[in-house]
Amino acid sequence: MKQDRCKLWNPWAAAGWSLLFSPAFGAWLHAANWHALGRPDKAVVARRWSWLVIATILLSGVAAALFELYARHLPWLAGAALTVAWCGFPAREHCRYVWMTTGGDYRRRRWAPALLGGIAGWLLLALLSLGAATLLVGLGGVYL
């Protein structure tokens, strides 16, 4: 498939939606775009960003639950730091690359499936958080 007519998600919109759904969402969409652009090396890096963000969200949530007094703001701070880092470097690079290689002339992918996936991701995270909280309460409120 020619790069100037490949089917992509708008990289700027993906970065914008990441402010709501987390950089894991935008990095996953950027990885799909990199793959469509014929850059599997960049797609691997983008997917690593997704997994890093997911792991950080989960681990900072666990740390906040275990060390309530000391780490209650950790999930928010970790999320904000990762969002700034992702938007400032890999997302910006991807947006520039798409513009330079396609000039904005590419077929647009539909947003409905991606946004439904983002909502499903948040619901899954909420269920995991609820399960972890229930487990901690069941253990008698383990706080260090």
Side-chain angles (χ1 to χ4, degrees):
M1 181 182 293
K2 287 178 59 178
Q3 283 189 352
D4 60 338
R5 293 303 298 162
C6 56
K7 200 170 186 179
L8 305 172
W9 277 289
N10 180 330
W12 291 104
W17 281 111
S18 293
L19 298 175
L20 177 65
F21 292 119
S22 90
F25 176 80
W28 200 266
L29 296 180
H30 282 190
N33 281 355
W34 280 121
H35 186 69
L37 290 165
R39 297 292 308 267
D41 56 325
K42 295 287 191 176
V44 168
V45 172
R47 286 227 166 78
R48 284 184 184 151
W49 268 96
S50 285
W51 291 116
L52 173 70
V53 170
I54 291 168
T56 302
I57 290 170
L58 292 175
L59 291 176
S60 64
V62 168
L66 292 176
F67 304 101
E68 180 189 7
L69 182 61
Y70 304 107
R72 78 178 76 165
H73 300 295
L74 186 61
W76 181 86
L77 291 172
L82 277 173
T83 300
V84 169
W86 181 75
C87 286
F89 299 106
R92 190 178 207 189
E93 175 193 4
H94 178 66
C95 292
R96 285 182 179 168
Y97 184 85
V98 169
W99 181 255
M100 296 301 288
T101 57
T102 67
D105 183 30
Y106 57 88
R107 293 182 305 152
R108 278 21 181 204
R109 292 190 77 163
R110 293 180 30 163
W111 278 102
L115 295 177
L116 288 173
I119 292 168
W122 272 119
L123 289 175
L124 179 63
L125 181 63
L127 288 173
L128 287 172
S129 298
L130 181 62
T134 303
L135 181 64
L136 285 174
V137 169
L139 291 174
V142 178
Y143 290 108
L144 301 176

